[in-house]
């Protein structure tokens, strides 16, 4: 158990809809990362938050947005969903952006199916 | 732009054999190279990692070999076991940023 909790584990929705994925990082971790895992694109970095502030953006679509709340949990919002958005969405956390081990701890993911 | 290339896509080895997975990177600013192991239905978990100031790191049956001049690194799994059957991802990042760039993954199957 990595200590990172993601909900829901599975989500089925229709095209055009909006969903919210939730992540609770490990206790004490300030950084949260979101990754998308699909068969054709592998693990793609979407966005990083550190202590409530956006720190880095990767291949995140404009239809997607995220935020990190004062209690450090994070939400990834996916809107105007398309079939191609079907994927596993992982949240990961780390202690911070200091120069230490660099390990990311991943949750078990939220599997999104868009029909 | 794929910055970390991983091969092979799949690998089948016999129990007790050596599994070797290779990765090559393009961005010379990368200075942290981890390997993650992922079992079905689970998130990736750190297996072993290396910084570019060493050429090899060993932890139990798992060894990373790193060639800075060639911009390549590899994972060797000695005495492979059926329980090692999983998908392995190499990755790279610039500490302290830690936004990992992952390779495409290698599905390892160890036959009993």
């Amino acid at each position: 158990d990595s200590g990172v909790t993601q909900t829901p584990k599975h989500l089925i929705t229709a095209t055009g809809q909006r969903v919210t994925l939730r992540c609770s990082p490990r206790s004490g971790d300030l950084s949260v990362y979101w990754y998308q895992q699909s068969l054709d694109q592998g693990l793609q970095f979407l966005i990083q938050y550190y202590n409530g502030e956006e720190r880095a953006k990767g291949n995140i679509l404009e239809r997607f947005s995220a935020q990190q709340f004062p209690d450090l949990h994070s939400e990834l919002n996916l809107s105007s969903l398309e079939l191609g958005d079907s994927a596993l969405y992982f949240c990961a956390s780390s202690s911070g952006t200091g120069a230490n081990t660099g390990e990311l701890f991943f949750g078990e993911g939220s599997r999104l199916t868009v029909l | 732009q794929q910055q970390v290339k991983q091969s092979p896509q799949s690998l089948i080895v016999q129990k007790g054999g050596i599994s070797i997975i290779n990765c090559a990177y393009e961005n010379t600013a990368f200075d942290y190279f981890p390997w993650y192991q992922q079992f079905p239905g689970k998130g990736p978990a750190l297996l072993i990692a290396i910084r570019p100031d060493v050429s090899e790191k060993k932890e139990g049956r798992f060894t990373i070999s790193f060639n800075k001049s060639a911009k390549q690194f590899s994972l060797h799994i000695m005495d492979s076991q059926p329980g090692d059957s999983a998908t392995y991802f190499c990755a790279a990042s610039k500490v302290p940023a830690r936004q990992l760039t992952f390779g495409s993954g290698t599905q390892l199957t160890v036959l009993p």
Side-chain angles (χ1 to χ4, degrees), chain B residues 23-25 65-74:
Chain B
C23 282
Y25 63 98
S65 297
F66 185 81
N67 186 329
K68 187 174 182 178
S69 61
K71 294 187 288 184
Q72 295 176 347
F73 58 110
S74 61

Side-chain angles (χ1 to χ4, degrees), chain A residues 78-94:
Chain A
L78 315 175
S79 61
S80 303
L81 285 168
E82 303 176 357
L83 296 177
D85 298 327
S86 296
L88 260 174
Y89 291 85
F90 285 105
C91 170
S93 73
S94 71

Side-chain angles (χ1 to χ4, degrees), chain A residues 39-56:
Chain A
L39 286 176
D40 57 344
Q41 294 290 325
L43 273 161
Q44 297 284 319
F45 168 69
L46 295 179
I47 197 164
Q48 176 199 1
Y49 278 82
Y50 175 76
N51 202 21
E53 294 187 2
E54 181 183 306
R55 185 56 61 96

Side-chain angles (χ1 to χ4, degrees), chain B residues 9-65:
Chain B
Q9 187 175 5
S10 62
L11 181 61
I12 300 174
V13 301
Q14 294 287 338
K15 178 182 176 181
I18 302 174
S19 303
I20 301 175
I21 305 171
N22 300 299
C23 282
Y25 63 98
E26 300 170 3
N27 190 340
T28 56
F30 288 146
D31 57 4
Y32 174 69
F33 302 90
W35 285 88
Y36 277 77
Q37 180 188 55
Q38 184 179 25
F39 292 103
K42 301 293 184 181
L46 180 66
L47 189 63
I48 186 173
I50 197 168
R51 299 293 296 270
D53 52 344
V54 296
S55 61
E56 186 175 283
K57 183 175 181 180
K58 183 176 181 179
E59 290 184 0
R61 296 184 293 109
F62 301 91
T63 300
I64 299 179
S65 297

Side-chain angles (χ1 to χ4, degrees), chain A residues 33 35 37 43 45 48 55-56 88 90 94 96-104 106-108, chain B residues 32 36 38 41-46 49 51 89 93 95-104:
Chain A
Y33 307 75
Y35 282 83
Q37 185 176 36
L43 273 161
F45 168 69
Q48 176 199 1
R55 185 56 61 96
L88 260 174
F90 285 105
S94 71
T97 58
N100 49 35
T101 64
E103 180 174 1
L104 298 191
F106 283 80
E108 295 196 344
Chain B
Y32 174 69
Y36 277 77
Q38 184 179 25
K42 301 293 184 181
L46 180 66
R51 299 293 296 270
F89 293 93
S93 72
V95 177
R98 293 204 197 91
Q99 301 116 32
L100 291 172
T101 298
F102 282 90
S104 54

